[in-house]
Amino acid sequence: MPDTITITDDRTGKTITVPIQGGVFPAAAVRELDPALFIYDPAYMQTAACKSSITYLDGDAGILRYRGYPIEQLAEKSTYLEVAYLLLNGELPTAEQLVKWKHDVTHHTFIHENMRKRFVDGFHYDAHPMGMLVSSIAALGTFYDDAKDITSKESRDKQILRLIAKSPTLAAMCYRFSVGQPFVYPDNNLSFPANFLNMMWKVGDYEIDPRLERAMDVLFILHADHEQNCGTTAMRVVGSSHADPYTSAAAAASALYGPLHGGANEAVVRMLADIGSIENVPAFIEEVKSGSGSRLMGFGHRVYKNFDPRATIIKKTAYDVFEVTGKNPLLDIALKLEETALSDPYFVDRKLYPNVDFYSGLIYQALGFPVAMFTVLFAIPRTVGWLAHWQELLGDKDQKISRPRQWYTGPEPRNYLALGDR
Ligand code: ACO
């Protein structure tokens, strides 16, 4: 069987045959048939907009790999900072490289005092921390004029380091502001996840339980990248205009904020709280199936149509955390929902399974995070994924400024009508 595809334009009889490589054929073939012919593909369901060697995802088989390494192995054996290095550089660091990388990240965690005193203090007292984070990421870029120099590798590496190191600091700062607590400065003696927990929770003496530190790190690993999702696509689209990486990352974080994307874990906890008790689960499932508009949040995925491997790891992590914190009272409702949905033809036929957000919210809540912080917790580790893709984009000779075409469905040409004639 030849690995080619032949397309015939029946209007002209013109035929073109092009190779299929890795399940993909170039859209340039369509251009060759007729430069005015476009493919209508809302939400890019069938379109590969780039080549990427960062993350491999097979939704049917439930496979997720970073640079070839299975997510299960990384979640069990690695650390977030090691994974960040891997995503950015393509290989796991050597012992020496890891020491340097950890040192570099640790020594870029502080932010300019004006960010806190003038910028963050300007928010309304009840500002949503994710809204604050999105704008803080963009504002951070204004402190680094060299960030605009995206053609220099040295400058790119510096901004990457800054963004990875400062994202937990910004996140914790937004939280502390929202609850009116004084800001806790980064502690260079702590690990990446422990430093974040410390900046979040330290009031007087604060001891970090190593099991919770590890759980935080595992959650960071699981959320570090997920190939061309909505947020990463936003990063690539804005980055393709050669905007600086802070502005591009702020766009990516904005996309993540939406309830169909990173906002889903927040929606899951709200949904579980609304359901209230196990007895109400069947009625809720019926409501979802009735097409009333309610969705079973934390279920379904654009790509995973079998299971989300991250959800399996997260469920286990949830139990590790509950051993320390005590069980989240919403867990029983979640388990009942999962059991009911997985045996209901509505969900089975549509291949709807728990996604990464179904259990992550319960863990975050058990760790003490308010619901409004959940998407922020997603944004911290995803920053490295955005940056790995940004870096890849800038080095990709095939790429240009993102500029999709449209299918115009508006009025035909018509003459301007004077106000009195309308
Ligand atoms: N609950 C109930 N029905 C659902 C759900 C759900 N969670 N998800 C999809 N469906 C149904 C749709 O109504 C549709 O049914 P139909 O064929 O009868 O019209 C069918 O399943 C296909 O759904 P689509 O919306 O076409 O699937 P799509 O791939 O566009 O959506 C998405 C994926 C957005 C994740 C969706 O499943 C959803 O809204 N889930 C809930 C929100 C969520 O958990 N988001 C987190 C995703 S993971 C992440 O971003 C990190």
Side-chain angles (χ1 to χ4, degrees):
M1 201 169 57
D3 272 351
T4 54
I5 187 163
T6 300
I7 312 169
T8 304
D9 185 339
D10 294 327
R11 299 168 307 171
T12 58
K14 194 171 169 187
T15 283
I16 188 143
T17 299
V18 287
I20 301 176
Q21 278 181 307
V24 181
F25 76 92
V30 177
R31 195 155 52 237
E32 231 177 282
L33 270 182
D34 175 358
L37 188 63
F38 298 108
I39 294 165
Y40 180 57
D41 189 15
Y44 314 113
M45 300 274 288
Q46 211 65 28
T47 297
C50 62
K51 290 179 186 159
S52 182
S53 59
I54 300 169
T55 289
Y56 175 77
L57 207 169
D58 180 336
D60 290 326
I63 292 173
L64 173 62
R65 298 186 200 124
Y66 295 160
R67 301 281 191 186
Y69 293 100
I71 192 68
E72 292 81 1
Q73 289 181 23
L74 294 170
E76 193 192 331
K77 299 177 182 165
S78 189
T79 62
Y80 169 69
L81 276 193
E82 200 178 53
V83 164
Y85 185 97
L86 170 71
L87 287 168
L88 289 164
N89 300 290
E91 296 298 335
L92 285 166
T94 61
E96 201 181 321
Q97 286 165 335
L98 187 59
V99 168
K100 181 172 180 336
W101 173 239
K102 276 188 187 166
H103 175 275
D104 289 351
V105 172
T106 308
H107 288 84
H108 282 87
T109 48
F110 279 73
I111 53 171
H112 196 289
E113 278 292 285
N114 280 351
M115 265 303 285
R116 182 177 64 84
K117 287 194 187 138
R118 297 186 184 271
F119 186 76
V120 174
D121 279 1
F123 281 105
H124 197 50
Y125 72 94
D126 62 352
H128 193 291
M130 191 59 192
M132 292 169 76
L133 181 72
V134 164
S135 15
S136 302
I137 295 172
L140 193 62
T142 64
F143 289 84
Y144 306 112
D145 202 39
D146 55 336
K148 291 186 186 62
D149 189 5
I150 60 150
T151 54
S152 148
K153 176 163 168 39
E154 198 191 336
S155 166
R156 286 198 305 268
D157 288 349
K158 193 66 174 283
Q159 317 315 324
I160 287 173
L161 201 55
R162 284 174 172 150
L163 271 159
I164 291 171
K166 294 180 202 307
S167 61
T169 315
L170 289 180
M173 188 178 61
C174 295
Y175 168 73
R176 302 282 294 207
F177 174 81
S178 70
V179 289
Q181 285 183 351
F183 180 51
V184 176
Y185 286 91
D187 182 339
N188 291 353
N189 297 313
L190 296 175
S191 71
F192 189 87
N195 178 46
F196 173 59
L197 291 172
N198 194 58
M199 288 189 291
M200 281 292 303
W201 307 123
K202 188 174 170 61
V203 182
D205 288 338
Y206 172 63
E207 285 262 334
I208 299 159
D209 187 303
R211 290 169 291 178
L212 300 185
E213 179 183 344
R214 177 63 194 158
M216 201 71 245
D217 215 27
V218 170
L219 287 159
F220 283 167
I221 292 171
L222 296 183
H223 288 89
D225 192 43
H226 211 234
E227 53 118 306
Q228 312 308 320
N229 56 84
C230 182
T232 303
T233 300
M235 181 87 193
R236 280 181 173 267
V237 169
V238 177
S240 77
S241 76
H242 290 182
D244 71 69
Y246 300 88
T247 312
S248 306
S254 306
L256 190 70
Y257 195 1
L260 295 187
H261 191 10
N265 48 19
E266 179 172 340
V268 169
V269 170
R270 291 192 200 285
M271 172 189 76
L272 295 174
D274 283 350
I275 294 172
S277 79
I278 294 184
E279 294 77 58
N280 298 333
V281 165
F284 178 75
I285 292 281
E286 286 312 312
E287 188 193 325
V288 168
K289 286 160 58 180
S290 73
S292 62
S294 313
R295 287 203 159 190
L296 177 49
M297 299 311 284
F299 257 65
H301 197 276
R302 170 59 57 79
V303 182
Y304 293 119
K305 300 296 177 193
N306 185 346
F307 69 96
D308 180 340
R310 301 168 302 172
T312 316
I313 302 167
I314 275 200
K315 195 170 173 183
K316 188 190 160 298
T317 308
Y319 284 100
D320 295 345
V321 168
F322 298 158
E323 251 178 46
V324 184
T325 62
K327 195 175 79 175
N328 185 323
L330 298 177
L331 176 69
D332 290 333
I333 302 174
L335 288 170
K336 183 72 184 163
L337 264 181
E338 185 184 12
E339 181 198 310
T340 312
L342 292 181
S343 58
D344 188 309
Y346 175 95
F347 297 92
V348 175
D349 294 350
R350 288 171 177 75
K351 298 181 185 253
L352 301 170
Y353 297 88
N355 59 47
V356 67
D357 288 321
F358 194 66
Y359 284 102
S360 63
L362 293 183
I363 305 181
Y364 295 148
Q365 207 176 40
L367 287 170
F369 291 101
V371 170
M373 275 296 285
F374 290 3
T375 315
V376 173
L377 295 167
F378 193 154
I380 295 170
R382 184 52 62 85
T383 302
V384 74
W386 297 332
L387 292 164
H389 284 272
W390 175 71
Q391 193 178 247
E392 188 176 65
L393 164 94
L394 294 179
D396 183 347
K397 299 266 182 299
D398 286 353
Q399 292 295 333
K400 290 173 180 286
I401 185 168
S402 252
R403 206 310 185 181
R405 304 305 293 241
Q406 66 166 9
W407 180 356
Y408 178 70
T409 57
E412 292 301 314
R414 47 188 174 162
N415 290 323
Y416 179 79
L417 277 183
L419 194 57
D421 296 335
R422 285 176 220 163

